[in-house]
């Protein structure tokens, strides 16, 4: 697991613990509000405890603190590139509370994750950004990220997912 790092004055990045679940859940809800999808954030504490802090974690979380206060978080997991023959780090969520923006917290989180990706021999560090979030897109580009215009995200969820499962029974 990642260790705590002091990236710059005021910012500290540390691995989340089970005790952080209430803070993580609030940051997830704050992110959903920012992304104009408050109703979609239905995760419960028991979901995060089971899937992130149980015997077989499905994700990891790091918390950014500014002078001891939770300023933001990043939730990520590892995937695998068959083409590269190496793992990749996928950033699912990154959020910095508005009052901490412009202080280097977002960059500190991304640098920390890049360090994890390099340490874990990842061939890629990938994330998604909403097409209307121009400030984030420009920020990511300034760090060397490229927009992959030729790849589209596909998703099957809810009733469509159930129908896909059932399609094998016909």
């Amino acid at each position: 697991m990642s260790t705590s790092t002091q990236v710059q004055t005021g910012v500290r990045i540390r691995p989340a613990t089970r005790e952080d679940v209430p803070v993580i859940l609030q940051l997830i809800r704050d992110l959903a509000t920012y992304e104009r999808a408050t109703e979609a954030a239905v995760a419960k504490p028991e979901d995060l405890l089971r899937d992130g802090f149980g015997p077989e974690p499905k994700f990891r979380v790091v918390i950014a603190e500014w002078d001891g206060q939770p300023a933001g978080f990043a939730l990520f997991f590892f995937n695998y590139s068959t083409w590269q023959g190496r793992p990749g780090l996928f950033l699912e969520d990154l959020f910095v509370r508005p009052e901490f923006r412009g202080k280097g917290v977002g960059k500190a989180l991304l640098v920390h994750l890049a360090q994890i990706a390099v340490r874990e021999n990842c061939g890629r560090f990938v994330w998604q950004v909403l097409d209307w979030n121009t400030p984030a897109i420009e920020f990511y580009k300034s760090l060397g990220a490229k927009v992959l215009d030729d790849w589209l995200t596909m998703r099957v969820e809810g009733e469509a997912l159930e129908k896909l499962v059932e399609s094998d029974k016909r």
Side-chain angles (χ1 to χ4, degrees):
M1 184 69 177
S2 57
T3 58
S4 176
T5 58
Q6 186 85 22
V7 178
Q8 64 182 48
T9 305
V11 181
R12 178 175 166 250
I13 309 294
R14 65 170 178 80
T17 66
R18 297 175 66 83
E19 291 73 32
D20 291 311
V21 165
V23 170
I24 296 166
L25 205 50
Q26 185 58 56
L27 289 164
I28 290 169
R29 290 186 178 129
D30 292 346
L31 172 61
T33 299
Y34 175 76
E35 292 185 349
R36 307 172 191 159
T38 306
E39 70 288 343
V42 297
K44 297 185 261 322
E46 55 267 26
D47 299 324
L48 299 181
L49 286 166
R50 176 192 65 233
D51 296 332
F53 302 94
E56 294 183 39
K58 308 289 188 261
F59 63 84
R60 297 183 192 180
V61 177
V62 291
I63 304 282
E65 294 178 336
W66 184 270
D67 293 334
Q69 295 181 41
F73 84 117
L75 187 147
F76 65 99
F77 55 87
F78 295 97
N79 54 23
Y80 194 80
S81 169
T82 56
W83 289 15
Q84 291 185 331
R86 296 168 65 182
L89 189 149
F90 186 85
L91 172 59
E92 177 67 23
D93 285 332
L94 181 134
F95 182 73
V96 176
R97 288 182 162 150
E99 62 269 30
F100 297 102
R101 292 183 189 152
K103 297 177 183 262
V105 175
K107 182 178 180 184
L109 284 163
L110 290 168
V111 167
H112 186 81
L113 293 181
Q115 292 169 343
I116 293 170
V118 168
R119 186 173 64 241
E120 296 290 331
N121 193 35
C122 294
R124 297 180 179 140
F125 174 18
V126 178
W127 64 93
Q128 298 172 316
V129 59
L130 291 167
D131 62 358
W132 56 260
N133 195 346
T134 305
I137 293 167
E138 294 307 314
F139 170 62
Y140 298 147
K141 285 180 178 178
S142 77
L143 298 177
K146 296 178 186 172
V147 176
L148 302 178
D149 293 325
D150 51 343
W151 287 89
L152 300 176
T153 301
M154 304 301 294
R155 179 186 294 174
V156 180
E157 64 184 345
E159 188 177 323
L161 181 58
E162 295 297 327
K163 284 183 180 180
L164 180 58
V165 169
E166 293 298 317
S167 71
D168 188 47
K169 298 177 182 174
R170 293 181 192 162

